[in-house]
Amino acid sequence: MMYSILKFYTCIPAKCYQWVWFKMFWWLKNLKLRSLSVRNVDQVTLHDMYSLWHYTMTGKVSYDDFLELHNSFDTILLMHDRRNNKLCGATAYSVIPTSLKRKSKPVSIIRSGPAYIRPEYQRMKILRDFTLYSIAKERFRHPFASLYYSVNFINYKGYPGFAGISSRAYPRYDKPTPEMEQKVIDYYVLNILNLHDCYNRERSVIKTKQSIKEEFAIITEESLKNPHIRFYKERNPDFLKGYALVGILEVSWKSVFSK
């Protein structure tokens, strides 16, 4: 019996172990992640999402604005607190094919939406959990495609975690953006977001319709000691005015789990 169990576990790829530990980590944090189609979100959940979004965002933040943004994605990710079933974070994403090719493979981009997280849960790295979950799920769903994950950083808080996932997350302070990643960023901004008139290619910065409320995005002198945060502020000094730093990451097991 013991031999059979050991034989079974030795056949499991190392990445599966990482996925199991990842799920256990949510459980230990008393968090529960749900993934569902945009079409299957009930009205109660939708209003909870809007309340949280409106609480943290400023700019065009009416309910109609929220629905327009919400309905532009395919998949919703919700994080609840297991102890009281409170919605503590939400985001969305879609997988969009492109005309680009990498090593003869067609390129698709995971377009991630804004993540809105209750302030009391922000130290629990929920944004990083959302990112890793969507990356892992879509890598399994598209095993032979060339995938890239895109995100608009409307404030600095999510960027250090993103840059820390892999040394191949761009742009970053310690090395220039490679040609292929720059092509993906350009395609994402110009062909998916259609932001031709408000794209600073040199800085990888775009203008968005919403911005984070100032009380949730203050950059302190202490936080500027982090080189990723310092880089974010240098690239996107006007983030409180609705500007966002565009990030891109090649979605492969090698790039995601390598430093």
Side-chain angles (χ1 to χ4, degrees), residues 228-247:
H228 295 301
I229 297 176
R230 191 163 58 248
F231 173 81
Y232 178 90
K233 187 177 181 181
E234 290 170 356
R235 281 292 187 100
N236 187 27
D238 295 322
F239 66 95
L240 289 175
K241 298 178 181 179
Y243 290 88
L245 179 70
V246 177

Side-chain angles (χ1 to χ4, degrees), residues 99-147:
S99 59
L100 299 174
K101 289 188 181 295
R102 181 179 182 276
K103 296 181 179 179
S104 301
K105 292 183 179 180
V107 171
S108 291
I109 297 175
I110 303 174
R111 176 200 169 206
S112 67
Y116 26 105
I117 300 165
R118 292 188 188 278
E120 62 268 32
Y121 291 91
Q122 288 185 356
R123 292 183 177 274
M124 301 181 75
K125 299 183 178 180
I126 290 176
L127 178 58
R128 184 183 176 94
D129 292 349
F130 282 152
T131 301
L132 289 175
Y133 178 88
S134 55
I135 283 174
K137 179 179 178 180
E138 297 307 324
R139 182 70 278 170
F140 277 119
R141 290 183 62 197
H142 304 87
F144 305 111
S146 184
L147 279 177

Side-chain angles (χ1 to χ4, degrees), residues 16-247:
C16 292
Y17 284 121
Q18 291 173 322
W19 183 246
V20 170
W21 281 112
F22 191 40
K23 297 287 285 185
M24 287 180 64
F25 186 55
W26 291 334
W27 183 82
L28 290 170
K29 290 195 297 184
N30 290 308
L31 298 177
K32 177 177 63 176
L33 188 146
R34 292 175 60 204
S35 172
L36 64 161
S37 167
V38 167
R39 299 186 299 273
N40 295 332
V41 179
D42 61 80
Q43 289 299 311
V44 173
T45 302
L46 199 58
H47 281 279
D48 283 347
M49 291 171 63
Y50 172 67
S51 296
L52 183 54
W53 183 73
H54 188 272
Y55 176 69
T56 57
M57 306 295 289
T58 186
K60 297 187 69 175
V61 292
S62 70
Y63 189 64
D64 287 340
D65 294 325
F66 170 74
L67 287 180
E68 179 184 359
L69 181 63
H70 170 84
N71 293 331
S72 67
F73 296 97
D74 297 327
T75 303
I76 299 295
L77 299 181
L78 304 172
M79 191 74 81
H80 286 85
D81 191 320
R82 290 181 181 274
R83 295 164 295 187
N84 52 25
N85 205 36
K86 178 192 291 186
L87 178 66
C88 46
T91 191
Y93 73 89
S94 295
V95 180
I96 302 173
T98 77
S99 59
L100 299 174
K101 289 188 181 295
R102 181 179 182 276
K103 296 181 179 179
S104 301
K105 292 183 179 180
V107 171
S108 291
I109 297 175
I110 303 174
R111 176 200 169 206
S112 67
Y116 26 105
I117 300 165
R118 292 188 188 278
E120 62 268 32
Y121 291 91
Q122 288 185 356
R123 292 183 177 274
M124 301 181 75
K125 299 183 178 180
I126 290 176
L127 178 58
R128 184 183 176 94
D129 292 349
F130 282 152
T131 301
L132 289 175
Y133 178 88
S134 55
I135 283 174
K137 179 179 178 180
E138 297 307 324
R139 182 70 278 170
F140 277 119
R141 290 183 62 197
H142 304 87
F144 305 111
S146 184
L147 279 177
Y148 284 86
Y149 180 86
S150 66
V151 57
N152 304 335
F153 291 104
I154 59 174
N155 77 89
Y156 76 94
K157 291 186 177 180
Y159 176 73
F162 172 82
I165 289 176
S166 169
S167 61
R168 297 175 70 179
Y170 297 97
R172 57 189 309 114
Y173 79 92
D174 51 357
K175 55 183 175 180
T177 302
E179 182 181 358
M180 184 64 212
E181 275 68 13
Q182 186 61 58
K183 287 181 180 179
V184 174
I185 292 174
D186 291 342
Y187 188 98
Y188 166 69
V189 173
L190 300 176
N191 295 280
I192 297 177
L193 301 183
N194 295 313
L195 296 177
H196 294 264
D197 300 327
C198 48
Y199 172 39
N200 186 322
R201 187 176 188 270
E202 183 180 352
R203 292 179 175 269
S204 193
V205 167
I206 60 172
K207 182 72 169 68
T208 63
K209 295 180 180 180
Q210 293 86 26
S211 61
I212 195 78
K213 289 182 178 177
E214 185 173 358
E215 58 263 37
F216 301 125
I218 297 174
I219 299 180
T220 65
E221 290 299 321
E222 182 66 25
S223 62
L224 285 174
K225 293 178 182 179
N226 184 313
H228 295 301
I229 297 176
R230 191 163 58 248
F231 173 81
Y232 178 90
K233 187 177 181 181
E234 290 170 356
R235 281 292 187 100
N236 187 27
D238 295 322
F239 66 95
L240 289 175
K241 298 178 181 179
Y243 290 88
L245 179 70
V246 177

